[in-house]
Amino acid sequence: MISTQAIPWEERPEGCKDVMWRYSQNPIIGRYDTPTSNSIFNSAVVPYKDGFAGVFRCDNKAVQMNIHTGFSKDGINWDIEPDPIVMKAGNTQMIDSDYKYDPRVTFIEDRYWVTWCNGYHGPTIGIAYTYDFKEYFQCENAFLPFNRNGVLLPEKVNGKYCMLSRPSDNGHTAFGDIFMSYSPDMKYWGEHRPVLKVTAFEDSAWQCLKVGAGGVPIKTDEGWLMFYHGVIKTCNGFRYSMGAALLDLEQPDKVLYRTQPYLLAPAKDYELAGDVPNVIFPCASLHDEEGKVVVYYGAADTVVGIAFGRISEIIEFTKNNSI
Amino acid sequence: MISTQAIPWEERPEGCKDVMWRYSQNPIIGRYDTPTSNSIFNSAVVPYKDGFAGVFRCDNKAVQMNIHTGFSKDGINWDIEPDPIVMKAGNTQMIDSDYKYDPRVTFIEDRYWVTWCNGYHGPTIGIAYTYDFKEYFQCENAFLPFNRNGVLLPEKVNGKYCMLSRPSDNGHTAFGDIFMSYSPDMKYWGEHRPVLKVTAFEDSAWQCLKVGAGGVPIKTDEGWLMFYHGVIKTCNGFRYSMGAALLDLEQPDKVLYRTQPYLLAPAKDYELAGDVPNVIFPCASLHDEEGKVVVYYGAADTVVGIAFGRISEIIEFTKNNSI
Amino acid sequence: MISTQAIPWEERPEGCKDVMWRYSQNPIIGRYDTPTSNSIFNSAVVPYKDGFAGVFRCDNKAVQMNIHTGFSKDGINWDIEPDPIVMKAGNTQMIDSDYKYDPRVTFIEDRYWVTWCNGYHGPTIGIAYTYDFKEYFQCENAFLPFNRNGVLLPEKVNGKYCMLSRPSDNGHTAFGDIFMSYSPDMKYWGEHRPVLKVTAFEDSAWQCLKVGAGGVPIKTDEGWLMFYHGVIKTCNGFRYSMGAALLDLEQPDKVLYRTQPYLLAPAKDYELAGDVPNVIFPCASLHDEEGKVVVYYGAADTVVGIAFGRISEIIEFTKNNSI
Amino acid sequence: MISTQAIPWEERPEGCKDVMWRYSQNPIIGRYDTPTSNSIFNSAVVPYKDGFAGVFRCDNKAVQMNIHTGFSKDGINWDIEPDPIVMKAGNTQMIDSDYKYDPRVTFIEDRYWVTWCNGYHGPTIGIAYTYDFKEYFQCENAFLPFNRNGVLLPEKVNGKYCMLSRPSDNGHTAFGDIFMSYSPDMKYWGEHRPVLKVTAFEDSAWQCLKVGAGGVPIKTDEGWLMFYHGVIKTCNGFRYSMGAALLDLEQPDKVLYRTQPYLLAPAKDYELAGDVPNVIFPCASLHDEEGKVVVYYGAADTVVGIAFGRISEIIEFTKNNSI
Amino acid sequence: MISTQAIPWEERPEGCKDVMWRYSQNPIIGRYDTPTSNSIFNSAVVPYKDGFAGVFRCDNKAVQMNIHTGFSKDGINWDIEPDPIVMKAGNTQMIDSDYKYDPRVTFIEDRYWVTWCNGYHGPTIGIAYTYDFKEYFQCENAFLPFNRNGVLLPEKVNGKYCMLSRPSDNGHTAFGDIFMSYSPDMKYWGEHRPVLKVTAFEDSAWQCLKVGAGGVPIKTDEGWLMFYHGVIKTCNGFRYSMGAALLDLEQPDKVLYRTQPYLLAPAKDYELAGDVPNVIFPCASLHDEEGKVVVYYGAADTVVGIAFGRISEIIEFTKNNSI
Amino acid sequence: MISTQAIPWEERPEGCKDVMWRYSQNPIIGRYDTPTSNSIFNSAVVPYKDGFAGVFRCDNKAVQMNIHTGFSKDGINWDIEPDPIVMKAGNTQMIDSDYKYDPRVTFIEDRYWVTWCNGYHGPTIGIAYTYDFKEYFQCENAFLPFNRNGVLLPEKVNGKYCMLSRPSDNGHTAFGDIFMSYSPDMKYWGEHRPVLKVTAFEDSAWQCLKVGAGGVPIKTDEGWLMFYHGVIKTCNGFRYSMGAALLDLEQPDKVLYRTQPYLLAPAKDYELAGDVPNVIFPCASLHDEEGKVVVYYGAADTVVGIAFGRISEIIEFTKNNSI
């Protein structure tokens, strides 16, 4: 959904030749920005009314993971609800949830759909919808556990809802490819297809261990533009960076191009240190009619940062540097 | 489906007080019983015409896993096709399969449904149907990888197909609970619910690491009688034994009773030694109008054995020894 | 032992609503504050004469772990002996020690008791006493290896010495609960009881992997106030935070309350980076007659920091946020 | 305690040059020799009245571990109680136990002492006494978890009870040395000393991963003769064999000699296959005035076997083949 | 070297359609066939004088690994020296060895060369020569640790000695491909090339984890016929089977064909149970002018077995079933 | 090779008593100092013409590892080629390379030799020579995989080239000692000897997991002065520090002295945070006629730093603090 409000923006710094660049005032959301939070990161935003709304991952000081509503006029300064979202029953009465994290949000047809990693006998993909970011209606989980990073396309394709996800296991999963699944009704899912796999170490090491969809893909003439995270394992743990891919408009489980180099990798203090060092984890983006885009990402599993770019340049880069 | 043919049978041996007992001529199928096989085990049988038909896991001498059709007059002596089953397109054109193993078979309404562990970018649940055990029509995989031990209930419940499965990971999974999923059409699946979980080590150690559905559950007045395997990890590897559970007829993801003791555990030569020592892995059963039941199980991932019991006694035992 | 000297103190910063807050001049002891040290952290202090004395963990530049005596007038500026403590024989001639780390100190009856993790065919709990912080007399180790975080109550209960500890294994132990053991004579120990266990991940993730006693518990009307560390494992390693619990005065192996949220978690530069990033590890506290308390903690296994609070508020918080 | 009854015995088979040799009718106790047992192994026997009494590890068919009383006239044919031992309170009211396994039994002064691996917030060493093998009185656990293979010397040394044990961790421990601890009263324990450690792989690989005391040591002129198990890890798991050591009579934590070669290693069908293949695990022995000795050992964690030898020859072998 | 003596032989059993078949009297060497042996396996034989000579891996009862000389008239009944081979200095004074195992032997030009896994600060490839199987002269190790399964071609190619080996690590290596290295002088080695790699699991699972050269390759018109072992990892450990490959005569690091199915896999009692269950490990072969071949293999790391075949049939099978 | 140009230099800071000290303007090379680089670190420099030349490890933004030429007038400000070095055939046509990293450079006789970790079916030691840092001629790899940290002595000893290396495995190797190998011709290698091993944890923990040669050793009257890295494993990963050793001039695989304390360990921001936190990894040094030395090291696998010292003081320290 193209934002008709002004999205956050800074021009590319002088001398910078990168396709994307960070906001000079990062992080825009601090770890203690709600009264009980330990960290706020990996969060999703959309244009809403005359500003923006979002669903934010807030781990509290017991390090319980949950999602909170937030509103903003400018996309940078956010009012985040101190209490987590309370769900009502949507297309099912079974709305159990041990924990919620890493939300994504998109508008389809008449409502906003939220997906997240839902704790239901293991991590799986939770789904809810809201019309107003006040009442949320939780639906059946999309899949069996173990799954993470469930992301919807922002419209139906061939009459079906399209969900990207990354099948996982029950721990700090050391593998992970992106799959697509389809549903006629947001309740039953099938036609599972691989989309984007990890690369060979020699080809592109930053994405050789795991990949997972970032924010809701953006529809462009060249295909669905999907930001995603890739992971490498060093002797001191995992490092999460961000790349981009273009998916076929009609057959969105088909990758047309993907970046061999990353677009953004941990390099700033707030990305290198925190609860989980060396993490850039995109969960959302906003774009406007001019083709400007701002990506929201969790940094070090602790705070929220943003980075800017132009869709046309990103597409160009992705096509020219595809693996 | 109750067998109207005589099923294999031997009476309980004198002095034996066990609820189930082995066939004295086990194993009934040897590892080299097809020209190219390395091992034949974890296989499924059903009543068919004036005898029995089955789908057999045959690993060849390259240790590639595949499923083969077999026929038998008596359920003990089997003619197994030397070549694997070739699939035609069922409710999808996408019938890729890197490997197939651990089949189950059941008749629903008008046809026989086969489910198995299907290699499609990792192990998941493959589905096919056949009317005649000659032509097989492969359908969409039920789930995203990683999954194993997909078993259908032998009839729809509340208008939906019911599939038991065990979400897993991409290796020798060291965890595993049984879940139920539902489908209106054998193509899209949802409403995923936990059914049977591993037990605490102190309560019943033989099933404390993993559990997985065995053969197609049997409908009884007391509920769906499901044989299942449970796994314990010793310092020398996994040991697979067999227990039973009763699932609610109307809400089959609800467990009414489950056995705290096992019904059958590796103790015979052909169960203690082989390609994977210490494995009893049930994948099918036949039962008749008198309530006699014969369970087919893979032994040591190498051969097929059978064990006998009476449904009424097994139910009684399950209720009296439930955890 | 209540300090009759002024303990280090800063009032809660304006706007701060936390129960405990850090000293603005942290860290108070740097990693190179003795001539040969690689790091100084996880150390213990007590009121002594007209000031304070302490036992400090100093790893030298060969990264050998040992404990050193230190003295201070104000509890902030410390003179630490450049050489490690040399032990004399106490209640045994067997005073072997491959290494010493993570000391605690308390006064009981007539002397100061030091406990630490002692290398004796694996880590176990070393015990010594001193009257003057000059001569130290080493006693029998309390337990068999493998054990860490041995902490004495500051007085006998029911006529017996009371030792908290955390049974471990021989490496970077990935489990750990706090136990209590009792002794009539500081030589033979028994009546081992569990005290505080790790929590379920969903309930309080920061303390779901390991917990260990912090400094010597403080006697209050509401029970023994024990600061402790809790550990969570992220994909990039362990993170150590601090909580508090109240133990029953008469039956100190019984937990009355424990904090679901942490009191302090790594967030400052000197806690996020160092030899072991993301560690806050309390080993001691001082409190005065007004109920002010200052906790000494190792930061990032590299330096020493302090944090302030009021005992009454901490108790109130612990009771109101107990799990 | 020297048996005044005839102990089980067979002469060394013709042509056999081994120091110890197996009973030709092994195993003497089968896995199903009680109505509910899955396996009977790792058990302890002593002379009692005009025959023998014993405490047997019986895992039931839920694979719950417990200990049972048994009696025998000849040491070979045993009547084992179908129900586990029920403990009464001994020197403590706290007699919790999640499970019991691997018992040892010895007579000291006026009663029989039983030690075993006791499940109390992890495995530790349980202690009980009985006068008649009917009433058992459970005492305080000797140690904190995690510990296994607690074995008492059959008399006090220097006025103290002496307990061998093997500190462990909470799983299939991949390390383990034998320690000695002392107690004035069977309630409080201290003075922990290393006794027998694993060897270097190059020196004696069968005992390079773990060692643990076997049955109650036998007092001889040359020292305490201790049979023990040693473990090697192959690519297919652990292998347990049996050796012997001589401990100093006056200072029993001092090893005088230990066998570089094993005395007995898995080679028979009932040792090579079973619930845990490749295990010989001694837990007891009987000896008579002539110096004949019969060792009882668990085989493959499934059954009980015995092996014979002459104490003088075993001592000679141990001294001549010491490492 | 073609044997001019009659090699061991039995015709293919009736009804058997396998390319290779076992000797009906296997195992030909038992585990206790020397006075101190725990096991005799993975051994090498060659034609010698009017019979055969060999170098045998004998692990003693301390489970120390060493190599022993043996002689035989018929290749089946062997006299194995009770004492290990004592080495003299060959092309170096540095003949240290912590252990020796898995020997191979071949005749080149004027002498017999023995290679083995040599313990020198880790496992590497030891080399020695002998003229008479009495005096052995140890040379420089071929490679740095960690390496195993060093096998020489039986003649120089392009003027250089050719050594197959399998780079490894310092434990139960879970990976392993076969490489070739060349030497002008048996002292300095270089020109390292990959030869045979593990296969994809889907293609040929029995050789998907590790492969290693078996006996000395046999020169044929179709190339160097190399028997080799392949390994799969099941949930209960490693399983070793045997296949064959043809290497280019002139460029022996080039594989022309390799068997997708195995030629021989563990199926007999003495292969399924023993110190390491499920191992067939070829280390040598004898062949005669008629093209008959007998392969010597270690079974279950415990005993020696042999299997028969005809070179022409094996080559035919390898070409027709190549992957 | 002694530099006749002025090497980078700063005097020891006031108050500093360390043997070596960092440059105040560290890091001298930033992570983005070439257009496509993700990081520049672990690099090698030598005197060249009227300045310095170097070979630099530059990981690009696809995190592909490669080596680049660089030139500098002052050793601090470097012009690094944006494109990786392209190799020509040296003493072999086989110059495959999946990746190149961690180069070292030295001048021997008539040319500059470059060694590096070369990706050839696993990491091994690549060798090339250049006369002018424009054309490079790649030679045979020195060893079979798996190996890292190949470092040549700067002249032949006893007529042979001398290569230090660290045998490894195929992942983040958790072990590693330094070996020496010899070659008559830079093509075939042999006479492999252990040089420097890891220490016992109790003796010097910073070098207890792995050690690897740093830059090219410096010839001194007291022996070859070798800087090396040592590694300790904490619960949050590996930490790399730097020490020094003196090797015998005539028998360079013999260690005369080695430092028990480290010379330099991660403590600065650019060492504590980055792609791999807590890494100091020396790969080169320059020294002049006055005995001043500057060590170049990779910091946090991200940037290049330098540290200063005087050779005579370092030797003195090494001898006085040897383990």
Side-chain angles (χ1 to χ4, degrees), chain C residues 22 264-273 276-280 297 299-300:
Chain C
R22 291 173 183 80
L264 211 64
K268 295 291 183 186
D269 284 356
Y270 53 90
E271 295 159 350
L272 297 178
V276 183
N278 282 335
V279 177
I280 281 181
Y297 65 92

Side-chain angles (χ1 to χ4, degrees), chain B residues 260-280:
Chain B
Q260 187 173 27
Y262 57 71
L263 293 177
L264 211 65
K268 295 291 182 185
D269 283 357
Y270 53 90
E271 296 160 349
L272 297 178
D275 284 7
V276 183
N278 282 336
V279 177
I280 281 181

Side-chain angles (χ1 to χ4, degrees), chain F residues 13-323:
Chain F
E14 198 156 354
C16 171
K17 295 180 178 168
D18 297 328
V19 186
M20 299 195 69
W21 58 97
R22 292 171 181 82
Y23 182 43
S24 61
Q25 304 301 312
N26 269 353
I28 62 164
I29 303 177
R31 64 185 308 166
Y32 299 130
D33 279 2
T34 80
T36 62
S37 63
N38 165 71
S39 48
I40 307 177
F41 57 110
N42 301 359
S43 299
V45 301
V46 285
Y48 180 69
K49 292 189 174 169
D50 59 343
F52 305 94
V55 178
F56 293 81
R57 173 175 176 177
C58 299
D59 293 3
N60 70 15
K61 288 190 177 65
V63 189
Q64 295 173 298
M65 306 176 291
N66 220 323
I67 56 177
H68 295 231
T69 302
F71 297 98
S72 174
K73 289 293 178 202
D74 59 7
I76 292 180
N77 298 287
W78 287 89
D79 291 319
I80 300 175
E81 302 286 340
D83 293 315
I85 292 168
V86 177
M87 294 287 174
K88 300 182 177 175
N91 67 11
T92 177
Q93 296 304 312
M94 202 296 298
I95 59 169
D96 295 355
S97 179
D98 291 330
Y99 49 79
K100 298 183 180 73
Y101 66 79
D102 293 357
R104 275 78 167 191
V105 183
T106 189
F107 185 83
I108 308 179
E109 293 174 344
D110 63 348
R111 69 193 81 178
Y112 298 90
W113 291 91
V114 187
T115 55
W116 68 89
C117 183
N118 192 42
Y120 177 71
H121 306 276
T124 185
I125 305 306
I127 302 175
Y129 59 86
T130 181
Y131 295 95
D132 54 10
F133 291 94
K134 288 183 188 135
E135 281 191 317
Y136 291 81
F137 300 90
Q138 187 171 343
C139 301
E140 279 289 335
N141 295 315
F143 309 120
L144 284 163
F146 305 90
N147 207 314
R148 292 178 176 93
N149 296 305
V151 181
L152 287 165
L153 290 203
E155 58 183 69
K156 288 185 181 176
V157 177
N158 303 319
K160 291 176 207 146
Y161 295 102
C162 308
M163 173 88 84
L164 298 157
S165 74
R166 198 199 63 196
S168 306
D169 67 13
N170 62 353
H172 295 299
T173 314
F175 59 89
D177 298 324
I178 302 175
F179 284 70
M180 182 75 84
S181 305
Y182 298 92
S183 172
D185 54 10
M186 276 284 187
K187 186 163 186 180
Y188 300 98
W189 295 85
E191 296 174 284
H192 314 285
R193 298 289 181 277
V195 178
L196 192 90
K197 296 204 165 188
V198 297
T199 49
F201 176 82
E202 285 83 2
D203 292 336
S204 183
W206 67 270
Q207 54 183 323
C208 72
L209 186 77
K210 297 196 279 188
V211 288
V216 170
I218 298 168
K219 194 172 190 179
T220 77
D221 292 346
E222 303 274 355
W224 297 102
L225 175 60
M226 175 181 73
F227 295 100
Y228 66 95
H229 67 261
V231 186
I232 184 175
K233 183 171 174 54
T234 78
C235 64
N236 283 1
F238 291 173
R239 183 182 186 232
Y240 287 74
S241 305
M242 181 176 84
L246 282 164
L247 311 181
D248 187 86
L249 284 179
E250 291 306 307
Q251 187 190 339
D253 50 55
K254 182 178 165 192
V255 177
L256 304 175
Y257 303 97
R258 67 188 290 188
T259 51
Q260 185 172 29
Y262 58 70
L263 293 176
L264 212 64
K268 295 291 181 184
D269 283 357
Y270 53 89
E271 296 160 349
L272 297 178
D275 285 6
V276 183
N278 282 335
V279 177
I280 280 183
F281 195 95
C283 282
S285 64
L286 298 173
H287 60 287
D288 63 14
E289 294 180 349
E290 297 172 30
K292 303 200 303 289
V293 65
V294 52
V295 171
Y296 289 73
Y297 65 92
D301 277 19
T302 304
V303 298
V304 175
I306 54 176
F308 307 108
R310 283 192 171 77
I311 290 175
S312 59
E313 293 176 4
I314 295 167
I315 289 174
E316 190 71 9
F317 183 84
T318 303
K319 291 170 73 173
N320 290 343
N321 293 276
S322 186
I323 191 170

Side-chain angles (χ1 to χ4, degrees), chain B residues 221-236:
Chain B
D221 291 348
E222 303 274 356
W224 297 101
L225 174 61
M226 174 180 73
F227 294 100
Y228 68 94
H229 66 261
V231 186
I232 184 176
K233 184 171 174 54
T234 77
C235 63
N236 284 0

Side-chain angles (χ1 to χ4, degrees), chain D residues 18 22 201-207 232-237 239 260-263 265-268 272-273 277-278, chain E residues 31-32 35 37-39 60-65 98-99 172 233 236-240 273-279:
Chain D
D18 297 329
R22 291 171 182 83
F201 176 82
E202 286 82 3
D203 292 336
S204 184
W206 68 269
Q207 53 183 324
I232 184 176
K233 183 171 174 52
T234 78
C235 64
N236 283 1
R239 182 182 185 231
Q260 186 173 25
Y262 57 71
L263 293 176
K268 295 291 182 184
L272 297 177
N278 282 334
Chain E
R31 66 186 306 166
Y32 298 130
S37 63
N38 165 71
S39 47
N60 68 16
K61 288 189 176 65
V63 189
Q64 293 173 299
M65 305 176 292
D98 290 331
Y99 49 78
H172 295 298
K233 183 171 174 53
N236 283 1
F238 290 174
R239 183 185 185 229
Y240 287 74
D275 284 5
V276 182
N278 283 334
V279 177

